[in-house]
Amino acid sequence: MRAYYTADRETFFSDSEEHIVGALALRHSFDLEENQKRAWQQQILIMRNALNAIAAFTIYFEFAIPRMGKRADVVVVIGDCIFVIEFKVGSDVFSPQALEQVEDYALDLKNFHAGSHDLSIVPILVPTKASLAQPVQLELTFGQVARPVLASVIDLADIIRMASAQHLHNDLNVDEWAASGYRPTPTIIQAAQALYASHNVEDITRRDADAVNLTRTEAAISHVIAESRANQRKAICFITGVPGAGKTLAGLDIATRRSEDRTEHTTYLTGNGPLIAVLQTALARDQAAREKVSVKFAESKVRAFIQNIHEFRDEYATRSALPPSDHVVVFDEAQRAWTKAQASKFMQAKRNIPDFDMSEPEFLLSVMDRHDDWCAVVCLVGGGQEINTGEAGLSEWMAAIRDRFPHWQVHASAQIVQPDYDLKHDARAFIASEQVSLHHDLHLGVSMRSFRAETLSDFISHLLNGDAAAARAAHDRLGNYPILLTRDLNAARAWLRETARGSERYGLVASSGAMRLRPEGIHIKAAIDPANWFLNDRNDVRSSFYLEEVASEFDVQGLELDFAGVCWDADWRHVDGQWQAWNFKGTKWQKVNDGFRRLYLKNAYRVLLTRARQGMVIFVPQGDDADHTRPKRFYDETWDYLCACGLKRLPNS
């Protein structure tokens, strides 16, 4: 249902106020307070006065903005111009929060509502007690979305008449417009909040043919879980996906759907500390606001739903006989689980368990295998996402299943044989086993993070593989996803601030090995607080908006920004036509020759370059020949290579 009430001009002026309020109340799913009823009455009166001189229009009250989980007060279509109007009944101020809200509504329509992509959209804020509006300068910026217009009740009619003048005679089929596809691509934070608040994944994700396999993936997993339970079997599923395709969203959806079912209760586990901190804080804040409870109380519930995989490991390492409380667990970023050597070293040194001699995959499966009846394990696997020493990739999972758990059924994406997943080239032998079934629906192949650029992952892969020609061809297919280059960090900051609109989030990111960006004012060793960086508003110096604190690949993996400033150092540099990996130690750079360490650094830049949903600017320093740790040649060839990949220089920088 797009809106609670819809009418053309004739119907809107002929329907009684009581009829309109009744229609709104009938569709209002929450307890109807008297204040809401009075607000609707006032909005009806204001809009009748404001639209009296307009010969033809269609008006919508309580118009759905699904990605945000909210409804705009009023949307009016005049010709081919869309007005999004937010009222603040009883207020006399144009608050920054309200301005951001109405601008977000307009941007959401522009970006995600198919019928609005090519239309002009004018967001208007109306505090009903404001005595007069600010001077109106209608400014249609990039994307034909105007800067928010500040209107008093008295001035609203003149503003609408002026803004719609050039659109009056343009035809638009409003029924087709309203019914056109809505293709939301929420941030993982927005998606987690919506799912945790009992929305369905279908409400907040794209439903076009390219992205429909997210629902198919969930259906395939649900079928495996149901079969395992019915037949008292144990199963493991491997879901693969390109960066931003919705692996974490799929995992959260699987977990939330079963959160209230004691026999299928599911826990979402990840070893990604920043992701845990951000999601737990975001869900707790959101629940506290929705249910009017303390954040501390909400946090206690959230922690039972989203857990650190290492805490799960530690708990059951000391409770060797007990099965876990969950029959279903979702392991996010399963490719980052530790090898036997790394896990044994850590458990002996840090947990005082001297005889621990298993890889993390083997141990985690052994814990779930303690169930006498059935269980299901869902592993979410990112290709080319291993970024730290000791991360096992899929090989340790396959070895554990082959050697210790032949009684488990394996359901895997057919993509696990691809090089980005099959680091040790042992997947083909693994899938030849009769216990393994391959499913195309267990691969998520379309990026939903970069809704402006579904070919972004291809472009980044070619760029990092050193194929400039292929990268340039992929770049030409990026459409309106901007990737710009600059050698001026302040110019990069200015572009981020000027390009982002409403609550769109931006920030600076850099490799954890970017030690010689310090002369540029980028201190990668200064740790951020991920929850503050990703969640706090633009007035908080700790937030990403301030463009002071810089996040590393470890901070941002699994999370996202709308716009990113990627700061490039000499740890991953282009030399004589190929990429080289370097580590800064003490006072000089040391070349990295170990294959796995080179891969980790390459993947670090893959993570950094795939965080932005809407666009990015890449900062490559000029270098300084007077500084032996960052001479110009360390950066110039990288700059030239990025230019050869099709990237353009930021104007006036």
Side-chain angles (χ1 to χ4, degrees):
M1 185 170 55
R2 183 64 71 195
Y4 288 175
Y5 172 82
T6 305
D8 58 17
R9 188 188 196 284
E10 181 181 356
T11 304
F12 181 52
F13 280 101
S14 62
D15 279 346
S16 68
E17 178 185 294
E18 291 75 15
H19 174 83
I20 297 174
V21 171
L24 293 169
L26 183 65
R27 292 165 175 80
H28 190 64
S29 57
F30 304 99
D31 292 337
L32 184 60
E33 299 179 356
E34 191 63 28
N35 285 344
Q36 179 62 72
K37 182 179 178 181
R38 286 197 295 267
W40 284 333
Q41 291 170 333
Q42 193 167 352
Q43 291 168 20
I44 293 166
L45 177 62
I46 293 170
M47 292 310 303
R48 280 178 167 167
N49 289 332
L51 296 171
N52 189 51
I54 304 298
F57 61 82
T58 302
I59 189 169
Y60 303 82
F61 280 83
E62 300 292 338
F63 188 92
I65 310 290
R67 185 183 69 99
M68 299 173 65
K70 296 181 179 179
R71 289 181 176 271
D73 288 337
V74 173
V75 170
V76 181
V77 181
I78 302 175
D80 63 351
C81 186
I82 313 299
F83 293 86
V84 181
I85 304 172
E86 181 65 19
F87 289 96
K88 295 302 174 186
V89 176
S91 174
D92 61 356
V93 297
F94 299 95
S95 72
Q97 294 81 7
L99 279 171
E100 186 176 276
Q101 179 184 8
V102 71
E103 188 169 25
D104 280 348
Y105 289 161
L107 292 169
D108 197 272
L109 280 176
K110 170 59 64 175
N111 291 329
F112 305 115
H113 183 235
S116 301
H117 288 337
D118 300 319
L119 303 181
S120 296
I121 303 178
V122 181
I124 304 176
L125 175 62
V126 186
T128 59
K129 290 191 175 181
S131 56
L132 56 111
Q134 304 290 322
V136 176
Q137 289 184 328
L138 196 61
E139 178 188 354
L140 283 174
T141 60
F142 173 76
Q144 294 181 272
V145 177
R147 296 289 180 185
V149 177
L150 313 181
S152 70
V153 169
I154 296 173
D155 296 319
L156 183 59
D158 288 338
I159 291 170
I160 291 177
R161 187 167 57 251
M162 178 187 70
S164 63
Q166 60 182 321
H167 300 275
L168 292 173
H169 304 295
N170 297 332
D171 291 331
L172 176 69
N173 187 315
V174 290
D175 292 333
E176 291 181 2
W177 170 80
S180 63
Y182 189 82
R183 300 174 54 178
T185 57
T187 67
I188 191 58
I189 295 169
Q190 292 168 328
Q193 289 171 334
L195 291 172
Y196 194 65
S198 299
H199 290 277
N200 291 324
V201 71
E202 292 86 353
D203 296 334
I204 59 172
T205 55
R206 292 165 41 181
R207 285 175 248 179
D208 55 299
D210 288 338
V212 74
N213 66 332
L214 182 61
T215 53
R216 290 177 178 168
T217 298
E218 203 283 336
I221 295 298
S222 294
H223 179 74
V224 170
I225 293 172
E227 289 263 301
S228 299
R229 180 179 177 179
N231 298 316
Q232 301 290 283
R233 294 175 178 170
K234 295 170 181 176
I236 182 170
C237 302
F238 293 104
I239 298 175
T240 58
V242 301
K247 296 182 294 296
T248 297
L249 175 58
L252 289 169
D253 183 42
I254 292 164
T256 52
R257 283 177 183 263
R258 294 167 177 78
S259 60
E260 302 302 326
D261 186 337
R262 292 186 178 182
T263 61
E264 284 191 8
H265 187 274
T266 304
T267 296
Y268 170 87
L269 300 171
T270 176
N272 186 334
L275 178 65
I276 293 169
V278 171
L279 289 183
Q280 286 183 343
T281 302
L283 295 184
R285 289 181 184 180
D286 184 61
Q287 184 181 10
R290 283 187 292 103
E291 300 181 6
K292 304 296 186 293
V293 298
S294 70
V295 173
K296 186 174 182 180
F297 173 79
E299 283 177 344
S300 65
K301 292 186 64 178
V302 171
R303 287 197 181 100
F305 170 60
I306 296 178
Q307 295 181 25
N308 191 310
I309 196 170
H310 301 310
E311 294 175 359
F312 180 91
R313 174 203 62 203
D314 294 350
E315 178 181 1
Y316 290 102
T318 58
R319 299 168 62 192
S320 58
L322 294 176
S325 57
D326 303 292
H327 275 75
V328 182
V329 290
V330 177
F331 293 139
D332 200 356
E333 297 185 22
Q335 78 282 354
R336 297 186 63 189
W338 286 348
T339 62
K340 177 179 177 180
Q342 182 74 7
S344 299
K345 178 181 176 182
F346 178 87
M347 296 299 281
Q348 292 170 22
K350 302 295 186 180
R351 296 295 185 264
N352 197 29
I353 303 178
D355 56 349
F356 193 94
D357 62 349
M358 289 182 279
S359 67
E360 272 195 327
E362 182 180 353
F363 176 74
L364 295 170
L365 290 176
S366 72
V367 170
M368 295 302 293
D369 199 50
R370 295 174 191 174
H371 284 290
D372 292 329
D373 45 7
W374 72 280
C375 68
V377 174
V378 180
C379 292
L380 311 176
V381 184
Q385 298 286 292
E386 299 85 1
I387 58 176
N388 212 352
T389 302
E391 293 178 354
L394 271 177
S395 293
E396 294 284 358
W397 290 95
M398 294 188 292
I401 293 167
R402 181 184 63 244
D403 298 340
R404 284 203 54 192
F405 305 101
H407 56 292
W408 282 53
Q409 293 185 323
V410 181
H411 302 269
S413 158
Q415 295 296 312
I416 66 170
V417 298
Q418 297 301 317
D420 280 349
Y421 305 102
D422 189 18
L423 299 184
K424 294 186 178 179
H425 310 293
D426 47 7
R428 291 195 180 278
F430 176 72
I431 66 173
S433 167
E434 291 185 358
Q435 79 182 110
V436 179
S437 300
L438 297 182
H439 304 264
H440 290 291
D441 286 341
L442 295 185
H443 177 67
L444 299 169
V446 177
S447 175
M448 297 197 302
R449 174 181 299 137
S450 304
F451 58 86
R452 286 184 172 176
E454 292 169 355
T455 58
L456 179 65
S457 60
D458 287 340
F459 168 71
I460 299 304
S461 290
H462 294 314
L463 184 152
L464 293 176
N465 289 336
D467 190 338
R472 189 165 57 251
H475 178 265
D476 291 341
R477 298 192 299 272
L478 285 177
N480 62 348
Y481 183 99
I483 307 178
L484 297 168
L485 294 173
T486 184
R487 308 201 80 166
D488 182 342
L489 182 56
N490 286 329
R493 289 186 171 114
W495 183 83
L496 291 169
R497 293 186 179 112
E498 293 165 3
T499 306
R501 302 275 305 274
S503 63
E504 291 172 344
R505 183 167 289 272
Y506 51 85
L508 297 177
V509 298
S511 158
S512 58
M515 300 300 181
R516 296 311 295 146
L517 292 178
R518 186 167 180 174
E520 305 286 347
I522 296 173
H523 301 262
I524 194 63
K525 282 295 186 183
I528 69 167
D529 181 313
N532 289 329
W533 199 82
F534 273 103
L535 299 176
N536 292 6
D537 64 30
R538 64 185 70 246
N539 297 314
D540 192 320
V541 298
R542 300 166 297 175
S543 76
S544 66
F545 289 118
Y546 249 72
L547 300 176
E548 291 183 1
E549 296 187 345
V550 181
S552 74
E553 70 273 19
F554 300 113
D555 298 316
V556 300
Q557 189 171 40
L559 293 160
E560 58 217 342
L561 299 160
D562 286 294
F563 296 94
V566 179
C567 304
W568 207 295
D569 201 9
D571 55 336
W572 185 251
R573 68 181 82 150
H574 210 254
V575 180
D576 296 332
Q578 60 184 0
W579 288 111
Q580 291 184 359
W582 294 77
N583 176 49
F584 191 80
K585 189 171 184 179
T587 62
K588 61 182 180 180
W589 292 101
Q590 298 178 345
K591 190 174 182 181
V592 176
N593 294 314
D594 178 79
F596 278 102
R597 290 180 63 202
R598 282 177 48 82
L599 177 64
Y600 296 146
L601 186 53
K602 176 182 177 180
N603 287 343
Y605 273 84
R606 187 193 310 276
V607 168
L608 298 175
L609 291 165
T610 55
R611 292 310 95 189
R613 291 158 50 83
Q614 301 198 50
M616 70 181 113
V617 57
I618 299 174
F619 163 62
V620 181
Q622 293 278 4
D624 182 355
D625 285 336
D627 183 345
H628 73 278
T629 68
R630 53 190 192 97
K632 292 182 178 181
R633 60 185 174 84
F634 281 7
Y635 303 97
D636 285 348
E637 194 169 345
T638 297
W639 171 271
D640 292 340
Y641 172 76
L642 294 175
C643 291
C645 290
L647 302 184
K648 305 302 182 195
R649 186 167 190 155
L650 182 66
N652 303 318
S653 71

